[in-house]
Amino acid sequence: MKFSCWRFCRVLLLLWLAAYSGMLSAKTWYVGILAPRGVQAAQQEWQPWLNWLSTQWENETFILVPMQLADAEQMIADKRVNFVLAPQAQFLSMKTGVEMRWLATLSRMDMAQPKAAELVGSAVWVRKDSGLQDIAQLRGKTIAAVQKNAFGGFLLGYKLLYDAQLRENRDYSLVFTGYPIDQTLLLLDRKQVDAAIAPLCLMEEMQSQGVVDSSQFQLLHPVNNHSVCAGSTELFPNWSLAALPDVPDSLATRLGSLLLQNQADALLPGWSPVVASTRVEEILHRIHRHPFQQSVWAGIKNWVSEYKTWVGITLLLVALSFLNYAWVSWLAWRRQKQITQAYEQMRTYERMMMHADRLNILGEMASGIAHEVNQPVSVIRHYAEGTRYRLQKQQTHTELIPVLDKVIEQVERITQIIENLRKWAKSERNDQSVPVNIAQAVAKSVQFVRLQNDRHLMDIHINIPADLVLLTVPSVIEQVLVNSLLNCWQQQATQVDMSIRSFDEPFLGITITDNAGGFSQEQLDFPFVPFRTNKDQGLGLGLVICERLMRVIGGGLLLDNRSDGIAGAVVTLKLPLKKHSNPKGVKASS
C-alpha cells in the first residue's frame, strides 16, 4: 500500500513539473498601437487581429497596448512594449534611441470606407462661410492640429504652409489638440479656430458617424491622392509593424513571414514588404524637421550659448557646424540612395515572383484547356467534314452544306482561340500578320454575337471605312471584339457605337462605346487585375486575356468612361498602324 502511494505521489509531482515548465516557457508580448481616435476604437480595430496572432503560437500571447502620440516616444524608450504598429513616417521625427526592425507594411483595407487611422495623409479644412479659398489666405489665422510631431495630423499640413511662405508664430498661430484627433474638426465646427489640419479621411468618418456635417466645410489645396477621401496632400505608405531589440530574431523573422504569407482571410489585415521612407525623409528635410537636422541645430545652439563672448570660437563653431551639416546631409543622401536601391530591387523581385506565379497558373490552365478541348473539337470537325463530303457526293440536302461550312469555320475559331491562350500564357510573340479588312472583321464579330445572343438585342452602329486594311492577326482582333461586345451584352447595353479613333503615335484604334453604366473608378485605376469580376459565373480573366493578346500583336487595350453625360463604357483596341501598301488590290482576311 505504501509503495502504491509513493508511485502516485511521483506521478503527481511529474505532472506538476510539466505544467510548471509549460508556464515558464509561455511568453507575453506587448504590442503598442497608436490610438488616434481613442482606446475603444483601437481595441475594436486591432484586438481581433491580436487574438488571431496569439493562436499561431502555442505559448506566445500578444497583448494590445493603445498608445497616445505624446507618450509613444517614452514608452518605446522605456521598453514598455515589444512591438510597435504605427505609420513608419511617424517615428522618423522621434528620438527614441531604440533600433526598430520593421517587419511588414499594411496593404489591404476597405478602400470603400477607409478610416482616419488607416491612410496616411493630411486635409486642411476651413468653414465654407469663412470665405477662405487658398492656403496663403491663412496668414494671421489660428489653425488646429493634432500634435507637433504628428505626421498626418500636422507635419504634412505644415509643409503646405511652409511652401506658401507662411511661418509658425510669425504668420499664424497653432492650437494642438492631442488625441483623440476628432478635436481638430470639432474646434473648427465650433468656430474656435479658423482652420484645421486633420488626418486624411477623418472628415468622411465623422460625417458617416453623424458627428459633423461635411457640407459646412471646404477643403483647401485639394489634390488627387488616389483614395475616396478628400485630401490636401499625397498619400503615404500605410502603417507598419516593427519589433524592438528585446524580441528574439527567430520570433521576429517568423512573425514577418507569417504576416506576408497570410493573405487569404479578408477579415484580417493584409500585409506587404516594408515600404521605403524615402519620400518622408525628403519632406522632413524640406521643412527642417529631420532628426539629423534637429541634432545639428541643437548642438549649434548649445555651443553658441556657451561661448557667446568668444568671437574666435564662435567663428570656429560656425565653420564646424557647416562641415557637420554637410557631413550629415551627405550621410542622409547616401542612406536615401541605398534605401531607394534596395526598395527598387525588392519591388522588382516581387513583380518577378508575381509574374512567374501567374504565368505558371495560367500556363497550367491553358495546357489543361487545350488537352481537354482539342479532342472533342477534332471529332466535331471530322463529323462535320464527313457529313459535308457525303452530302456533296450524294447531292442530297444541299441546303445544309453552308451550315456545315459555318460549323467548320467556328471549329477553326475555337482552335485558334486555344492557340492564342497558350501563346498568351507563354508570352510568345505572334508575328503572323496578314492584311485584314477592319470593317469586315468588325461585321463578322457583330454577326457572331447577334447569333449567340438574340434574346437581348443591342442596337449596334458601325462607322468604319469599308476599305480600311491593316496588317494584323485576324483571330486576335475578332476574339477581342467578340469579348468586348459580349461584355456590352452582359451589362444590358441597348446602344453600341463602333468607330475608328486616331492617335498621335503610329496607332489606330477601334472604339466600342456603350450605354451600360461604365466602369468603376477601381476598375479604371487597376484595369487588368486577374480573377476580379462582378459576374456571378465569371472568372475575371476576360479583360486580362484580351489586354495581353493585344500586347502580343504590338497593340494595347484602353478602358475609359463616356464624357458626354451618358453613363457608359469606352473600350479601345489600339492597333499598330501598319497599312497594307495596296489595300484595295489585295484580298484581305476578315
Side-chain angles (χ1 to χ4, degrees):
M1 181 67 180
K2 292 182 180 179
F3 179 73
S4 300
C5 183
W6 170 244
R7 291 185 61 185
F8 179 75
C9 291
R10 287 181 61 189
V11 171
L12 289 180
L13 179 61
L14 290 174
L15 291 175
W16 182 83
L17 289 175
Y20 183 72
S21 63
M23 294 174 60
L24 290 178
S25 62
K27 182 69 175 179
T28 299
W29 304 100
Y30 296 93
V31 183
I33 301 179
L34 281 185
R37 301 208 66 192
V39 174
Q40 184 176 358
Q43 290 176 337
Q44 183 178 1
E45 179 75 14
W46 297 108
Q47 191 60 53
W49 173 65
L50 290 178
N51 293 340
W52 170 82
L53 207 57
S54 298
T55 64
Q56 304 304 304
W57 281 270
E58 183 176 358
N59 296 315
E60 311 287 347
T61 303
F62 295 84
I63 304 298
L64 170 65
V65 182
M67 297 190 303
Q68 302 289 318
L69 186 58
D71 304 326
E73 185 173 345
Q74 192 61 42
M75 292 180 68
I76 295 172
D78 295 343
K79 299 182 180 179
R80 283 184 273 170
V81 294
N82 309 109
F83 296 89
V84 172
L85 178 59
Q88 186 179 2
Q90 191 62 68
F91 292 91
L92 291 179
S93 58
M94 291 185 181
K95 301 177 183 177
T96 61
V98 177
E99 181 182 1
M100 295 185 180
R101 290 169 291 171
W102 296 100
L103 305 180
T105 296
L106 280 170
S107 63
R108 187 175 67 222
M109 62 194 71
D110 185 6
M111 291 305 294
Q113 293 181 337
K115 300 178 181 178
E118 290 181 339
L119 299 181
V120 181
S122 287
V124 181
W125 295 98
V126 296
R127 293 186 60 86
K128 276 192 176 179
D129 55 11
S130 67
L132 300 174
Q133 301 291 331
D134 188 72
I135 295 291
Q137 294 179 328
L138 295 180
R139 187 182 302 274
K141 305 298 182 182
T142 301
I143 305 173
V146 176
Q147 192 166 314
K148 201 171 187 65
N149 64 343
F151 187 74
F154 174 63
L155 293 176
L156 288 176
Y158 176 84
K159 180 181 181 298
L160 296 177
L161 297 167
Y162 188 92
D163 293 341
Q165 305 300 318
L166 299 180
R167 297 297 179 262
E168 181 182 357
N169 299 326
R170 185 193 74 182
D171 300 314
Y172 59 89
S173 57
L174 289 167
V175 175
F176 292 107
T177 62
Y179 282 3
I181 57 179
D182 306 25
Q183 295 298 321
T184 55
L185 293 180
L186 291 178
L187 289 180
L188 180 61
D189 189 41
R190 299 168 190 157
K191 299 185 178 181
Q192 296 177 351
V193 294
D194 302 301
I197 301 174
L200 191 67
C201 297
L202 179 60
M203 176 66 76
E204 288 79 3
E205 189 172 359
M206 294 177 67
Q207 163 76 18
S208 66
Q209 296 171 351
V211 180
V212 296
D213 182 7
S214 60
S215 64
Q216 302 299 316
F217 301 89
Q218 179 171 330
L219 180 70
L220 299 185
H221 194 266
V223 299
N224 182 14
N225 54 22
H226 304 293
S227 76
V228 297
C229 299
S232 304
T233 67
E234 62 186 290
L235 196 63
F236 285 83
N238 209 336
W239 288 34
S240 297
L241 179 67
L244 271 58
D246 57 343
V247 177
D249 290 339
S250 59
L251 176 61
T253 302
R254 184 179 173 189
L255 178 57
S257 300
L258 176 66
L259 295 180
L260 295 178
Q261 293 173 3
N262 182 54
Q263 303 292 336
D265 194 341
L267 299 178
L268 296 175
W271 301 88
S272 65
V274 178
V275 180
S277 57
T278 305
R279 177 61 179 150
V280 177
E281 290 193 297
E282 290 178 358
I283 290 179
L284 294 178
H285 192 277
R286 165 72 177 165
I287 61 179
H288 304 292
R289 297 297 181 101
H290 197 283
F292 287 169
Q293 294 170 303
Q294 292 176 7
S295 62
V296 170
W297 292 114
I300 293 175
K301 182 178 180 180
N302 293 335
W303 278 95
V304 171
S305 176
E306 185 176 356
Y307 300 103
K308 58 184 177 182
T309 58
W310 295 13
V311 178
I313 295 181
T314 300
L315 295 176
L316 178 61
L317 286 175
V318 171
L320 290 176
S321 299
F322 175 80
L323 293 176
N324 191 20
Y325 178 79
W327 170 252
V328 170
S329 299
W330 181 79
L331 287 178
W333 172 84
R334 188 178 67 173
R335 179 189 176 194
Q336 172 186 338
K337 187 175 181 180
Q338 292 172 346
I339 292 176
T340 302
Q341 292 176 347
Y343 171 70
E344 290 299 328
Q345 291 176 355
M346 179 182 65
R347 296 298 295 173
T348 301
Y349 177 77
E350 181 182 1
R351 286 194 296 267
M352 291 173 61
M353 293 296 292
M354 293 176 62
H355 183 71
D357 184 59
R358 184 183 67 174
L359 293 185
N360 286 337
I361 294 174
L362 294 181
E364 294 177 3
M365 291 176 58
S367 300
I369 292 172
H371 178 75
E372 296 296 333
V373 174
N374 274 338
Q375 184 175 358
V377 167
S378 299
V379 173
I380 293 172
R381 179 172 181 172
H382 290 159
Y383 276 123
E385 289 178 344
T387 304
R388 183 180 182 279
Y389 173 77
R390 179 172 295 182
L391 292 178
Q392 283 182 332
K393 184 176 182 180
Q394 296 178 355
Q395 293 296 315
T396 59
H397 299 289
T398 55
E399 70 277 5
L400 297 179
I401 293 178
V403 177
L404 293 174
D405 289 337
K406 290 290 184 180
V407 172
I408 296 172
E409 181 181 350
Q410 293 305 315
V411 168
E412 287 288 347
R413 180 184 180 86
I414 293 173
T415 304
Q416 190 61 49
I417 289 175
I418 295 173
E419 181 67 14
N420 288 338
L421 180 61
R422 184 188 66 80
K423 292 181 178 179
W424 174 81
K426 296 184 177 181
S427 299
E428 293 183 1
R429 180 77 180 182
N430 192 340
D431 288 323
Q432 299 176 358
S433 299
V434 297
V436 177
N437 186 297
I438 300 300
Q440 293 180 13
V442 169
K444 184 177 180 181
S445 302
V446 170
Q447 180 185 13
F448 176 78
V449 172
R450 281 175 170 165
L451 289 174
Q452 298 297 318
N453 308 283
D454 55 352
R455 289 175 295 176
H456 168 64
L457 297 178
M458 294 186 299
D459 189 8
I460 303 177
H461 294 275
I462 303 175
N463 184 21
I464 297 177
D467 59 348
L468 177 60
V469 176
L470 296 180
L471 288 174
T472 185
V473 183
S475 61
V476 171
I477 301 303
E478 292 175 10
Q479 183 175 347
V480 177
L481 285 172
V482 168
N483 185 275
S484 302
L485 290 172
L486 285 176
N487 283 340
C488 297
W489 176 80
Q490 292 167 354
Q491 297 298 324
Q492 300 298 310
T494 59
Q495 181 75 36
V496 176
D497 295 318
M498 305 182 70
S499 59
I500 293 297
R501 172 186 171 186
S502 299
F503 292 89
D504 294 336
E505 311 168 51
F507 289 95
L508 194 68
I510 305 175
T511 299
I512 304 173
T513 305
D514 65 30
N515 62 345
F519 298 103
S520 66
Q521 190 59 46
E522 180 184 6
Q523 289 174 314
L524 293 178
D525 292 339
F526 304 98
F528 305 112
V529 178
F531 308 110
R532 181 188 67 189
T533 180
N534 55 4
K535 304 173 185 176
D536 294 337
Q537 303 298 326
L539 286 178
L541 290 175
L543 283 177
V544 180
I545 293 176
C546 290
E547 190 269 343
R548 186 63 178 269
L549 287 174
M550 292 301 297
R551 284 199 287 121
V552 165
I553 64 173
L557 192 65
L558 307 178
L559 306 183
D560 203 351
N561 285 330
R562 296 179 63 160
S563 59
D564 56 0
I566 300 176
V570 180
V571 178
T572 303
L573 284 67
K574 189 176 180 182
L575 300 171
L577 189 56
K578 298 186 293 185
K579 282 191 176 183
H580 192 67
S581 58
N582 185 17
K584 294 183 179 181
V586 176
K587 184 177 181 181
S589 171
S590 60

